[in-house]
Amino acid sequence: MRQSYCIKQECLRKAQGAFLLAHKLGLLETPSMEGFEARRQAHNRMLKKLEQENKKFYGPRYFSAPAYLQYELTRLKLDFVQPSEAVRKTGLCPDFTETEKRAFYEQNMDLFGRYHGDFFTYEEVAQIIEKRLREDAYDKLIEDVLREFEEGK
C-alpha cells in the first residue's frame, strides 16, 4: 500500500513540474493545483454546454480529476514536442542537428524495426526521432524546474 502512495506522490510532483514548465513557456496562466482544478471545471462546463446544444464532439462528456490530469499532461507534452512559434521563442525548446538525430537513430535501431526484420530508413523516421529527442528534453526540463522550485522553497 505504501508503494502506491509514493507513486501517486511522484505523479503529483511531476504534474507540478509540468505545470511550472508550461507556465514558463506561456502555455498556462496558473501552474498551481487550484489552477488545474479551475481548468478542469471550465472544460467540463464547456463539454456540458456542447452536449446541451446537441453539438457533436468526441471523447468523454465529463473528466474526473485523474482523467483530466492525464489529458492535460499529454496536451502540454505535445505542445512542447511539436512546438509553436511562441514555445520556440522561449529558448527552452531545443533544436537538434542532423548529427544528433543520426546518432540517436544508430544507437536505437531496435526502435525502428519492422515485422520482417528490416528497418525503416533514417529519412523515414527523422521527424519521429526529433520528437523523441524533444520528449527527453522535456522530461529533463521538468526535473530542472522542480529542482529550482524545491530549492527555492
Side-chain angles (χ1 to χ4, degrees):
M1 190 61 125
R2 181 103 166 97
Q3 184 180 5
S4 65
Y5 175 77
C6 292
I7 291 171
K8 288 179 185 177
Q9 286 299 100
E10 183 60 22
C11 287
L12 289 176
R13 180 181 177 273
K14 286 193 176 202
Q16 184 64 62
F19 294 162
L20 290 166
L21 178 58
H23 181 68
K24 270 186 157 180
L25 293 168
L27 299 173
L28 290 180
E29 244 181 77
T30 309
S32 67
M33 292 309 283
E34 292 82 12
F36 161 77
E37 183 57 26
R39 290 188 301 276
R40 182 181 80 86
Q41 289 178 11
H43 192 82
N44 281 335
R45 282 191 302 274
M46 179 204 58
L47 292 173
K48 187 174 184 174
K49 183 180 178 193
L50 289 173
E51 190 171 24
Q52 289 170 343
E53 294 172 354
N54 290 324
K55 293 190 177 176
K56 287 187 180 183
F57 64 95
Y58 298 94
R61 287 164 166 43
Y62 174 85
F63 279 92
S64 65
Y68 191 74
L69 180 62
Q70 186 62 47
Y71 166 81
E72 194 161 74
L73 292 175
T74 300
R75 182 182 60 82
L76 294 172
K77 190 171 199 171
L78 288 173
D79 286 348
F80 185 85
V81 170
Q82 187 68 38
S84 65
E85 193 59 37
V87 170
R88 285 186 184 277
K89 285 182 181 178
T90 65
L92 295 172
C93 187
D95 286 318
F96 299 97
T97 65
E98 283 300 310
T99 304
E100 290 170 312
K101 290 188 282 187
R102 281 195 181 275
F104 182 89
Y105 176 76
E106 290 169 13
Q107 293 167 0
N108 297 282
M109 287 293 292
D110 59 317
L111 297 176
F112 307 110
R114 294 182 181 156
Y115 181 75
H116 296 287
D118 60 332
F119 294 93
F120 289 96
T121 65
Y122 170 77
E123 290 74 19
E124 291 173 308
V125 294
Q127 187 178 26
I128 294 166
I129 291 169
E130 189 168 345
K131 289 178 181 181
R132 178 65 187 266
L133 289 170
R134 277 206 196 98
E135 286 179 10
D136 293 343
Y138 180 80
D139 292 338
K140 288 175 188 164
L141 278 171
I142 287 176
E143 286 303 317
D144 291 346
V145 166
L146 278 170
R147 204 173 305 104
E148 289 172 15
F149 179 74
E150 291 168 350
E151 288 172 0
K153 278 188 170 180

